[in-house]
Short mmCIF file of all heavy atoms in Angstrom, two decimals:
data_model
loop_
_atom_site.label_atom_id
_atom_site.label_comp_id
_atom_site.label_asym_id
_atom_site.label_seq_id
_atom_site.Cartn_x
_atom_site.Cartn_y
_atom_site.Cartn_z
N MET A 1 45.59 44.99 276.36
CA MET A 1 46.20 43.86 275.68
C MET A 1 45.10 42.88 275.29
O MET A 1 44.23 42.55 276.09
CB MET A 1 47.22 43.21 276.61
CG MET A 1 48.07 42.18 275.92
SD MET A 1 49.31 41.38 276.98
CE MET A 1 50.31 42.75 277.47
N LEU A 2 45.14 42.41 274.08
CA LEU A 2 44.14 41.47 273.58
C LEU A 2 44.36 40.09 274.19
O LEU A 2 45.48 39.72 274.53
CB LEU A 2 44.25 41.36 272.06
CG LEU A 2 44.08 42.65 271.28
CD1 LEU A 2 44.45 42.42 269.81
CD2 LEU A 2 42.67 43.15 271.41
N SER A 3 43.27 39.33 274.30
CA SER A 3 43.41 37.99 274.90
C SER A 3 44.32 37.10 274.06
O SER A 3 45.06 36.29 274.61
CB SER A 3 42.04 37.35 275.09
OG SER A 3 41.41 37.13 273.84
N ALA A 4 44.30 37.24 272.73
CA ALA A 4 45.19 36.44 271.88
C ALA A 4 46.65 36.78 272.16
O ALA A 4 47.51 35.90 272.18
CB ALA A 4 44.86 36.68 270.41
N GLU A 5 46.91 38.05 272.39
CA GLU A 5 48.28 38.46 272.70
C GLU A 5 48.71 37.92 274.06
O GLU A 5 49.83 37.44 274.23
CB GLU A 5 48.41 39.98 272.68
CG GLU A 5 49.82 40.46 272.93
CD GLU A 5 49.95 41.96 272.95
OE1 GLU A 5 48.94 42.68 272.83
OE2 GLU A 5 51.09 42.43 273.09
N LYS A 6 47.82 37.98 275.03
CA LYS A 6 48.13 37.44 276.36
C LYS A 6 48.43 35.95 276.27
O LYS A 6 49.39 35.46 276.87
CB LYS A 6 46.96 37.68 277.32
CG LYS A 6 46.82 39.09 277.77
CD LYS A 6 45.65 39.21 278.72
CE LYS A 6 45.39 40.65 279.08
NZ LYS A 6 44.22 40.80 279.96
N GLU A 7 47.59 35.23 275.53
CA GLU A 7 47.78 33.78 275.38
C GLU A 7 49.13 33.48 274.72
O GLU A 7 49.85 32.57 275.14
CB GLU A 7 46.64 33.21 274.54
CG GLU A 7 46.64 31.71 274.46
CD GLU A 7 45.43 31.17 273.71
OE1 GLU A 7 44.58 31.95 273.25
OE2 GLU A 7 45.36 29.93 273.58
N LEU A 8 49.49 34.26 273.72
CA LEU A 8 50.78 34.08 273.05
C LEU A 8 51.93 34.37 274.00
O LEU A 8 52.91 33.62 274.06
CB LEU A 8 50.85 34.98 271.82
CG LEU A 8 52.12 34.87 270.97
CD1 LEU A 8 52.34 33.44 270.50
CD2 LEU A 8 52.02 35.83 269.80
N ARG A 9 51.82 35.43 274.78
CA ARG A 9 52.89 35.77 275.73
C ARG A 9 53.03 34.70 276.82
O ARG A 9 54.14 34.38 277.23
CB ARG A 9 52.64 37.15 276.33
CG ARG A 9 52.89 38.27 275.34
CD ARG A 9 52.66 39.63 275.98
NE ARG A 9 52.83 40.71 275.04
CZ ARG A 9 53.99 41.28 274.72
NH1 ARG A 9 55.10 40.86 275.29
NH2 ARG A 9 54.04 42.26 273.86
N VAL A 10 51.92 34.14 277.26
CA VAL A 10 51.97 33.06 278.25
C VAL A 10 52.66 31.83 277.64
O VAL A 10 53.50 31.20 278.29
CB VAL A 10 50.55 32.70 278.75
CG1 VAL A 10 50.54 31.38 279.52
CG2 VAL A 10 50.01 33.83 279.61
N ALA A 11 52.33 31.51 276.39
CA ALA A 11 52.95 30.37 275.72
C ALA A 11 54.46 30.60 275.55
O ALA A 11 55.26 29.67 275.72
CB ALA A 11 52.29 30.11 274.37
N LEU A 12 54.84 31.82 275.21
CA LEU A 12 56.27 32.14 275.08
C LEU A 12 56.99 32.00 276.42
O LEU A 12 58.10 31.46 276.48
CB LEU A 12 56.44 33.56 274.54
CG LEU A 12 56.23 33.73 273.05
CD1 LEU A 12 56.11 35.22 272.70
CD2 LEU A 12 57.35 33.07 272.27
N ALA A 13 56.37 32.47 277.48
CA ALA A 13 56.97 32.38 278.81
C ALA A 13 57.10 30.92 279.23
O ALA A 13 58.13 30.51 279.79
CB ALA A 13 56.14 33.16 279.83
N ARG A 14 56.08 30.14 278.94
CA ARG A 14 56.11 28.70 279.27
C ARG A 14 57.23 28.01 278.50
O ARG A 14 57.97 27.19 279.05
CB ARG A 14 54.75 28.09 278.94
CG ARG A 14 54.62 26.64 279.31
CD ARG A 14 53.18 26.17 279.11
NE ARG A 14 53.14 24.74 279.23
CZ ARG A 14 52.69 23.91 278.30
NH1 ARG A 14 52.18 24.38 277.18
NH2 ARG A 14 52.70 22.62 278.48
N PHE A 15 57.35 28.34 277.21
CA PHE A 15 58.41 27.76 276.40
C PHE A 15 59.78 28.14 276.94
O PHE A 15 60.67 27.30 277.07
CB PHE A 15 58.27 28.21 274.93
CG PHE A 15 59.41 27.74 274.07
CD1 PHE A 15 59.42 26.46 273.54
CD2 PHE A 15 60.48 28.58 273.81
CE1 PHE A 15 60.49 26.02 272.76
CE2 PHE A 15 61.55 28.15 273.03
CZ PHE A 15 61.55 26.88 272.50
N ALA A 16 59.96 29.42 277.25
CA ALA A 16 61.26 29.90 277.75
C ALA A 16 61.63 29.20 279.06
O ALA A 16 62.77 28.76 279.24
CB ALA A 16 61.23 31.41 277.94
N ALA A 17 60.67 29.09 279.96
CA ALA A 17 60.94 28.44 281.25
C ALA A 17 61.30 26.97 281.04
O ALA A 17 62.25 26.46 281.66
CB ALA A 17 59.73 28.57 282.17
N ALA A 18 60.57 26.29 280.17
CA ALA A 18 60.86 24.88 279.90
C ALA A 18 62.22 24.71 279.24
O ALA A 18 62.98 23.80 279.57
CB ALA A 18 59.76 24.28 279.02
N ARG A 19 62.55 25.61 278.32
CA ARG A 19 63.84 25.55 277.62
C ARG A 19 65.00 25.74 278.61
O ARG A 19 65.97 24.99 278.60
CB ARG A 19 63.87 26.64 276.55
CG ARG A 19 65.20 26.81 275.85
CD ARG A 19 65.31 25.88 274.67
NE ARG A 19 66.04 24.69 275.08
CZ ARG A 19 66.18 23.59 274.35
NH1 ARG A 19 65.61 23.51 273.18
NH2 ARG A 19 66.85 22.57 274.79
N ILE A 20 64.86 26.72 279.49
CA ILE A 20 65.91 26.99 280.48
C ILE A 20 66.05 25.81 281.43
O ILE A 20 67.16 25.33 281.69
CB ILE A 20 65.62 28.30 281.25
CG1 ILE A 20 65.79 29.49 280.31
CG2 ILE A 20 66.52 28.42 282.47
CD1 ILE A 20 65.22 30.79 280.85
N GLU A 21 64.93 25.33 281.95
CA GLU A 21 64.98 24.22 282.90
C GLU A 21 65.63 22.99 282.26
O GLU A 21 66.45 22.31 282.87
CB GLU A 21 63.58 23.89 283.39
CG GLU A 21 63.57 22.87 284.51
CD GLU A 21 62.20 22.66 285.12
OE1 GLU A 21 61.28 23.44 284.83
OE2 GLU A 21 62.08 21.70 285.89
N HIS A 22 65.26 22.72 281.01
CA HIS A 22 65.82 21.56 280.32
C HIS A 22 67.31 21.75 280.02
O HIS A 22 68.09 20.80 280.13
CB HIS A 22 65.05 21.29 279.02
CG HIS A 22 65.51 20.06 278.32
ND1 HIS A 22 65.28 18.79 278.82
CD2 HIS A 22 66.20 19.90 277.18
CE1 HIS A 22 65.81 17.90 277.99
NE2 HIS A 22 66.37 18.55 276.98
N ASP A 23 67.71 22.97 279.67
CA ASP A 23 69.12 23.23 279.40
C ASP A 23 69.98 23.12 280.66
O ASP A 23 71.12 22.67 280.60
CB ASP A 23 69.31 24.62 278.78
CG ASP A 23 68.86 24.68 277.32
OD1 ASP A 23 68.57 23.62 276.73
OD2 ASP A 23 68.78 25.79 276.78
N VAL A 24 69.42 23.52 281.79
CA VAL A 24 70.18 23.48 283.05
C VAL A 24 70.34 22.05 283.55
O VAL A 24 71.44 21.64 283.94
CB VAL A 24 69.49 24.36 284.12
CG1 VAL A 24 70.10 24.14 285.48
CG2 VAL A 24 69.57 25.82 283.72
N LEU A 25 69.26 21.29 283.54
CA LEU A 25 69.31 19.92 284.04
C LEU A 25 68.33 19.06 283.25
O LEU A 25 67.16 18.90 283.64
CB LEU A 25 68.97 19.88 285.54
CG LEU A 25 69.07 18.52 286.21
CD1 LEU A 25 70.50 17.98 286.16
CD2 LEU A 25 68.61 18.62 287.65
N PRO A 26 68.77 18.53 282.13
CA PRO A 26 67.86 17.75 281.29
C PRO A 26 67.46 16.42 281.94
O PRO A 26 68.32 15.68 282.41
CB PRO A 26 68.65 17.53 280.00
CG PRO A 26 70.08 17.78 280.34
CD PRO A 26 70.09 18.65 281.55
N THR A 27 66.17 16.20 281.98
CA THR A 27 65.61 14.93 282.46
C THR A 27 64.45 14.56 281.55
O THR A 27 64.07 15.34 280.67
CB THR A 27 65.07 15.07 283.90
OG1 THR A 27 63.95 15.96 283.89
CG2 THR A 27 66.14 15.58 284.87
N GLY A 28 63.89 13.42 281.77
CA GLY A 28 62.71 13.02 281.01
C GLY A 28 61.55 13.99 281.24
O GLY A 28 60.81 14.32 280.31
N ILE A 29 61.43 14.46 282.47
CA ILE A 29 60.35 15.39 282.81
C ILE A 29 60.54 16.72 282.09
O ILE A 29 59.60 17.26 281.51
CB ILE A 29 60.26 15.59 284.33
CG1 ILE A 29 59.80 14.29 285.00
CG2 ILE A 29 59.33 16.75 284.68
CD1 ILE A 29 59.88 14.29 286.50
N THR A 30 61.77 17.25 282.11
CA THR A 30 62.00 18.54 281.46
C THR A 30 61.89 18.40 279.94
O THR A 30 61.43 19.33 279.27
CB THR A 30 63.37 19.14 281.82
OG1 THR A 30 64.42 18.27 281.36
CG2 THR A 30 63.49 19.38 283.31
N SER A 31 62.26 17.24 279.43
CA SER A 31 62.13 17.00 277.99
C SER A 31 60.66 17.01 277.57
O SER A 31 60.29 17.64 276.58
CB SER A 31 62.78 15.67 277.63
OG SER A 31 62.66 15.42 276.25
N ARG A 32 59.83 16.34 278.34
CA ARG A 32 58.39 16.31 278.05
C ARG A 32 57.77 17.70 278.20
O ARG A 32 56.93 18.11 277.40
CB ARG A 32 57.68 15.29 278.94
CG ARG A 32 57.89 13.87 278.45
CD ARG A 32 57.04 12.87 279.21
NE ARG A 32 57.38 12.78 280.63
CZ ARG A 32 58.42 12.11 281.13
NH1 ARG A 32 59.24 11.47 280.32
NH2 ARG A 32 58.64 12.07 282.42
N ALA A 33 58.19 18.44 279.22
CA ALA A 33 57.67 19.79 279.42
C ALA A 33 58.05 20.69 278.24
O ALA A 33 57.22 21.49 277.77
CB ALA A 33 58.20 20.38 280.73
N LEU A 34 59.27 20.55 277.76
CA LEU A 34 59.70 21.34 276.62
C LEU A 34 58.94 20.94 275.36
O LEU A 34 58.52 21.81 274.58
CB LEU A 34 61.21 21.19 276.40
CG LEU A 34 61.82 21.99 275.25
CD1 LEU A 34 61.53 23.47 275.40
CD2 LEU A 34 63.31 21.73 275.18
N GLU A 35 58.72 19.66 275.17
CA GLU A 35 57.94 19.19 274.01
C GLU A 35 56.52 19.73 274.07
O GLU A 35 55.97 20.20 273.06
CB GLU A 35 57.93 17.67 273.96
CG GLU A 35 59.25 17.06 273.56
CD GLU A 35 59.27 15.55 273.71
OE1 GLU A 35 58.21 14.94 273.98
OE2 GLU A 35 60.37 14.99 273.58
N ASP A 36 55.90 19.70 275.24
CA ASP A 36 54.53 20.21 275.41
C ASP A 36 54.48 21.72 275.14
O ASP A 36 53.57 22.20 274.46
CB ASP A 36 54.01 19.94 276.82
CG ASP A 36 53.71 18.47 277.06
OD1 ASP A 36 53.65 17.69 276.08
OD2 ASP A 36 53.55 18.10 278.25
N ALA A 37 55.44 22.45 275.68
CA ALA A 37 55.47 23.90 275.48
C ALA A 37 55.70 24.23 274.01
O ALA A 37 55.09 25.16 273.47
CB ALA A 37 56.56 24.53 276.35
N THR A 38 56.55 23.46 273.36
CA THR A 38 56.82 23.67 271.93
C THR A 38 55.57 23.40 271.11
O THR A 38 55.21 24.18 270.23
CB THR A 38 57.98 22.78 271.45
OG1 THR A 38 59.14 23.10 272.21
CG2 THR A 38 58.26 22.99 269.98
N ARG A 39 54.88 22.30 271.40
CA ARG A 39 53.64 21.97 270.69
C ARG A 39 52.61 23.07 270.86
O ARG A 39 51.93 23.46 269.90
CB ARG A 39 53.07 20.64 271.19
CG ARG A 39 53.43 19.47 270.33
CD ARG A 39 52.58 18.24 270.63
NE ARG A 39 52.57 17.85 272.03
CZ ARG A 39 53.52 17.15 272.63
NH1 ARG A 39 54.58 16.76 271.95
NH2 ARG A 39 53.43 16.83 273.89
N GLY A 40 52.47 23.58 272.07
CA GLY A 40 51.50 24.64 272.33
C GLY A 40 51.84 25.91 271.57
O GLY A 40 50.96 26.55 270.97
N LEU A 41 53.10 26.28 271.57
CA LEU A 41 53.53 27.48 270.86
C LEU A 41 53.35 27.31 269.36
O LEU A 41 52.88 28.23 268.67
CB LEU A 41 54.99 27.79 271.21
CG LEU A 41 55.55 29.12 270.71
CD1 LEU A 41 54.70 30.29 271.20
CD2 LEU A 41 56.99 29.28 271.18
N CYS A 42 53.67 26.14 268.86
CA CYS A 42 53.48 25.87 267.43
C CYS A 42 52.00 25.91 267.06
O CYS A 42 51.63 26.45 266.00
CB CYS A 42 54.08 24.52 267.05
SG CYS A 42 55.88 24.51 266.97
N ALA A 43 51.15 25.38 267.91
CA ALA A 43 49.72 25.40 267.64
C ALA A 43 49.19 26.84 267.59
O ALA A 43 48.39 27.19 266.71
CB ALA A 43 48.96 24.60 268.70
N LEU A 44 49.64 27.68 268.49
CA LEU A 44 49.19 29.07 268.52
C LEU A 44 49.67 29.86 267.31
O LEU A 44 48.99 30.79 266.86
CB LEU A 44 49.69 29.77 269.78
CG LEU A 44 48.92 29.50 271.05
CD1 LEU A 44 49.62 30.16 272.24
CD2 LEU A 44 47.50 30.03 270.93
N THR A 45 50.84 29.51 266.81
CA THR A 45 51.42 30.29 265.72
C THR A 45 51.22 29.65 264.35
O THR A 45 51.57 30.24 263.34
CB THR A 45 52.93 30.50 265.95
OG1 THR A 45 53.57 29.22 266.06
CG2 THR A 45 53.19 31.33 267.19
N GLY A 46 50.68 28.44 264.32
CA GLY A 46 50.46 27.76 263.05
C GLY A 46 51.75 27.31 262.38
O GLY A 46 51.85 27.32 261.15
N THR A 47 52.73 26.94 263.18
CA THR A 47 54.03 26.52 262.66
C THR A 47 54.33 25.10 263.10
O THR A 47 53.56 24.50 263.86
CB THR A 47 55.14 27.47 263.15
OG1 THR A 47 55.15 27.45 264.58
CG2 THR A 47 54.92 28.89 262.66
N ARG A 48 55.49 24.59 262.64
CA ARG A 48 55.82 23.20 262.95
C ARG A 48 57.11 23.03 263.75
O ARG A 48 57.40 21.93 264.23
CB ARG A 48 55.92 22.39 261.66
CG ARG A 48 54.61 22.43 260.88
CD ARG A 48 54.67 21.53 259.73
NE ARG A 48 54.04 20.29 260.17
CZ ARG A 48 53.86 19.25 259.42
NH1 ARG A 48 54.27 19.25 258.20
NH2 ARG A 48 53.27 18.19 259.89
N THR A 49 57.91 24.08 263.86
CA THR A 49 59.16 23.97 264.62
C THR A 49 59.24 25.10 265.63
O THR A 49 58.61 26.15 265.47
CB THR A 49 60.40 24.06 263.69
OG1 THR A 49 60.47 25.38 263.15
CG2 THR A 49 60.35 23.02 262.58
N ALA A 50 60.05 24.88 266.66
CA ALA A 50 60.23 25.92 267.68
C ALA A 50 60.80 27.18 267.06
O ALA A 50 60.36 28.30 267.37
CB ALA A 50 61.14 25.40 268.80
N GLU A 51 61.78 27.03 266.17
CA GLU A 51 62.39 28.21 265.54
C GLU A 51 61.36 29.01 264.76
O GLU A 51 61.29 30.24 264.88
CB GLU A 51 63.53 27.76 264.61
CG GLU A 51 64.26 28.92 263.97
CD GLU A 51 65.41 28.46 263.09
OE1 GLU A 51 65.96 27.38 263.32
OE2 GLU A 51 65.74 29.20 262.17
N ASP A 52 60.55 28.32 263.97
CA ASP A 52 59.51 29.01 263.20
C ASP A 52 58.47 29.64 264.13
O ASP A 52 57.98 30.75 263.87
CB ASP A 52 58.82 28.06 262.23
CG ASP A 52 59.71 27.65 261.07
OD1 ASP A 52 60.75 28.31 260.83
OD2 ASP A 52 59.38 26.65 260.41
N ALA A 53 58.13 28.94 265.19
CA ALA A 53 57.14 29.45 266.14
C ALA A 53 57.63 30.72 266.82
O ALA A 53 56.87 31.68 266.98
CB ALA A 53 56.80 28.39 267.18
N LEU A 54 58.89 30.75 267.20
CA LEU A 54 59.45 31.94 267.84
C LEU A 54 59.47 33.12 266.88
O LEU A 54 59.13 34.25 267.25
CB LEU A 54 60.85 31.65 268.39
CG LEU A 54 60.89 30.68 269.56
CD1 LEU A 54 62.32 30.28 269.85
CD2 LEU A 54 60.22 31.27 270.79
N HIS A 55 59.83 32.86 265.64
CA HIS A 55 59.84 33.93 264.63
C HIS A 55 58.43 34.47 264.40
O HIS A 55 58.21 35.67 264.38
CB HIS A 55 60.43 33.40 263.32
CG HIS A 55 60.42 34.41 262.23
ND1 HIS A 55 61.26 35.50 262.21
CD2 HIS A 55 59.64 34.51 261.13
CE1 HIS A 55 61.00 36.23 261.14
NE2 HIS A 55 60.02 35.65 260.47
N GLU A 56 57.48 33.56 264.26
CA GLU A 56 56.08 33.97 264.03
C GLU A 56 55.52 34.69 265.26
O GLU A 56 54.76 35.65 265.13
CB GLU A 56 55.22 32.76 263.68
CG GLU A 56 53.79 33.09 263.34
CD GLU A 56 53.62 33.96 262.10
OE1 GLU A 56 54.54 34.05 261.27
OE2 GLU A 56 52.53 34.56 261.97
N ALA A 57 55.88 34.24 266.44
CA ALA A 57 55.43 34.91 267.67
C ALA A 57 55.92 36.35 267.71
O ALA A 57 55.16 37.26 268.06
CB ALA A 57 55.90 34.15 268.90
N ASP A 58 57.18 36.57 267.33
CA ASP A 58 57.70 37.95 267.27
C ASP A 58 56.88 38.79 266.30
O ASP A 58 56.54 39.94 266.59
CB ASP A 58 59.16 37.95 266.83
CG ASP A 58 60.11 37.49 267.91
OD1 ASP A 58 59.72 37.48 269.10
OD2 ASP A 58 61.27 37.16 267.57
N THR A 59 56.56 38.22 265.15
CA THR A 59 55.77 38.93 264.14
C THR A 59 54.38 39.26 264.67
O THR A 59 53.89 40.39 264.52
CB THR A 59 55.66 38.08 262.86
OG1 THR A 59 56.98 37.84 262.36
CG2 THR A 59 54.83 38.77 261.79
N LEU A 60 53.75 38.29 265.31
CA LEU A 60 52.39 38.49 265.84
C LEU A 60 52.38 39.54 266.95
O LEU A 60 51.48 40.39 267.01
CB LEU A 60 51.81 37.17 266.34
CG LEU A 60 51.50 36.14 265.25
CD1 LEU A 60 51.19 34.79 265.88
CD2 LEU A 60 50.36 36.62 264.37
N ILE A 61 53.36 39.50 267.82
CA ILE A 61 53.42 40.49 268.91
C ILE A 61 53.64 41.89 268.34
O ILE A 61 53.02 42.85 268.81
CB ILE A 61 54.50 40.10 269.93
CG1 ILE A 61 53.97 38.91 270.75
CG2 ILE A 61 54.85 41.27 270.85
CD1 ILE A 61 54.96 38.33 271.72
N ALA A 62 54.46 42.00 267.31
CA ALA A 62 54.66 43.31 266.67
C ALA A 62 53.35 43.81 266.07
O ALA A 62 53.04 45.01 266.16
CB ALA A 62 55.74 43.21 265.60
N ARG A 63 52.57 42.92 265.48
CA ARG A 63 51.26 43.32 264.92
C ARG A 63 50.32 43.78 266.03
O ARG A 63 49.61 44.77 265.87
CB ARG A 63 50.63 42.16 264.16
CG ARG A 63 51.24 41.91 262.83
CD ARG A 63 50.49 40.82 262.11
NE ARG A 63 51.27 40.36 260.98
CZ ARG A 63 51.16 39.17 260.44
NH1 ARG A 63 50.29 38.31 260.92
NH2 ARG A 63 51.91 38.84 259.42
N HIS A 64 50.30 43.04 267.13
CA HIS A 64 49.44 43.44 268.26
C HIS A 64 49.86 44.81 268.77
O HIS A 64 49.01 45.66 269.07
CB HIS A 64 49.52 42.41 269.40
CG HIS A 64 48.85 41.11 269.10
ND1 HIS A 64 47.54 41.01 268.72
CD2 HIS A 64 49.32 39.84 269.14
CE1 HIS A 64 47.22 39.75 268.53
NE2 HIS A 64 48.28 39.02 268.77
N ARG A 65 51.14 45.03 268.89
CA ARG A 65 51.67 46.32 269.36
C ARG A 65 51.24 47.44 268.40
O ARG A 65 50.81 48.51 268.84
CB ARG A 65 53.18 46.25 269.48
CG ARG A 65 53.79 47.45 270.16
CD ARG A 65 55.30 47.35 270.30
NE ARG A 65 55.71 46.11 270.94
CZ ARG A 65 56.56 45.23 270.41
NH1 ARG A 65 57.12 45.44 269.24
NH2 ARG A 65 56.87 44.13 271.06
N ALA A 66 51.35 47.20 267.10
CA ALA A 66 50.97 48.20 266.10
C ALA A 66 49.48 48.49 266.17
O ALA A 66 49.06 49.65 266.05
CB ALA A 66 51.36 47.72 264.70
N ARG A 67 48.67 47.47 266.38
CA ARG A 67 47.23 47.68 266.51
C ARG A 67 46.90 48.55 267.72
O ARG A 67 46.07 49.45 267.64
CB ARG A 67 46.50 46.34 266.64
CG ARG A 67 46.37 45.60 265.36
CD ARG A 67 45.51 44.36 265.55
NE ARG A 67 45.56 43.57 264.34
CZ ARG A 67 45.57 42.26 264.32
NH1 ARG A 67 45.53 41.58 265.43
NH2 ARG A 67 45.61 41.62 263.16
N ARG A 68 47.57 48.24 268.84
CA ARG A 68 47.32 49.05 270.04
C ARG A 68 47.74 50.49 269.82
O ARG A 68 47.05 51.42 270.23
CB ARG A 68 48.07 48.48 271.25
CG ARG A 68 47.37 47.32 271.90
CD ARG A 68 47.92 47.04 273.30
NE ARG A 68 49.34 47.10 273.42
CZ ARG A 68 50.18 46.09 273.17
NH1 ARG A 68 49.70 44.94 272.74
NH2 ARG A 68 51.47 46.22 273.32
N ALA A 69 48.87 50.68 269.17
CA ALA A 69 49.37 52.05 268.92
C ALA A 69 48.41 52.78 267.98
O ALA A 69 48.11 53.96 268.21
CB ALA A 69 50.76 51.99 268.31
N GLY A 70 47.91 52.10 266.96
CA GLY A 70 46.97 52.72 266.04
C GLY A 70 45.65 53.05 266.70
O GLY A 70 45.07 54.11 266.49
N ALA A 71 45.18 52.16 267.55
CA ALA A 71 43.91 52.39 268.26
C ALA A 71 44.06 53.53 269.26
O ALA A 71 43.14 54.31 269.47
CB ALA A 71 43.45 51.12 268.95
N GLY A 72 45.23 53.63 269.86
CA GLY A 72 45.48 54.69 270.85
C GLY A 72 45.49 56.07 270.23
O GLY A 72 45.20 57.06 270.88
N ARG A 73 45.83 56.14 268.94
CA ARG A 73 45.87 57.44 268.25
C ARG A 73 44.59 57.71 267.50
O ARG A 73 44.51 58.65 266.73
CB ARG A 73 47.04 57.46 267.27
CG ARG A 73 48.39 57.49 267.94
CD ARG A 73 49.50 57.75 266.92
NE ARG A 73 49.50 56.75 265.85
CZ ARG A 73 50.30 55.70 265.81
NH1 ARG A 73 51.14 55.47 266.77
NH2 ARG A 73 50.26 54.86 264.80
N GLY A 74 43.62 56.83 267.67
CA GLY A 74 42.35 57.02 266.97
C GLY A 74 42.43 56.57 265.53
O GLY A 74 41.55 56.84 264.72
N GLY A 75 43.49 55.86 265.19
CA GLY A 75 43.66 55.39 263.82
C GLY A 75 42.90 54.12 263.57
O GLY A 75 42.34 53.50 264.46
N ALA A 76 42.87 53.74 262.33
CA ALA A 76 42.20 52.51 261.93
C ALA A 76 43.03 51.32 262.39
O ALA A 76 44.25 51.36 262.39
CB ALA A 76 42.01 52.47 260.41
N LEU A 77 42.35 50.25 262.73
CA LEU A 77 43.05 49.04 263.14
C LEU A 77 43.48 48.30 261.89
O LEU A 77 42.74 48.17 260.93
CB LEU A 77 42.15 48.15 263.99
CG LEU A 77 41.74 48.74 265.33
CD1 LEU A 77 40.83 47.77 266.06
CD2 LEU A 77 42.97 49.03 266.17
N VAL A 78 44.69 47.76 261.92
CA VAL A 78 45.24 47.03 260.79
C VAL A 78 45.03 45.56 261.02
O VAL A 78 45.26 45.04 262.10
CB VAL A 78 46.76 47.33 260.66
CG1 VAL A 78 47.35 46.54 259.51
CG2 VAL A 78 46.99 48.81 260.52
N ALA A 79 44.57 44.85 259.99
CA ALA A 79 44.33 43.41 260.11
C ALA A 79 45.59 42.62 260.00
O ALA A 79 46.57 42.98 259.51
CB ALA A 79 43.33 42.95 259.06
#
């Protein structure tokens, strides 16, 4: 797994945990944690909203998966 993919997966996990925690019991702390996680995910994906960031993250992970599959078969890596 590439370091960029790992970083993206960590950001997604952080966002998911913050979203769940905030949905279960919203507080100022959970709100700030969700905002921070959203900002981080948006920064990694080059987007401005959580919805766009999640969509782009799915696209990026699919590309990483395709690269690994291509490399595993001795194929050329796709940019």
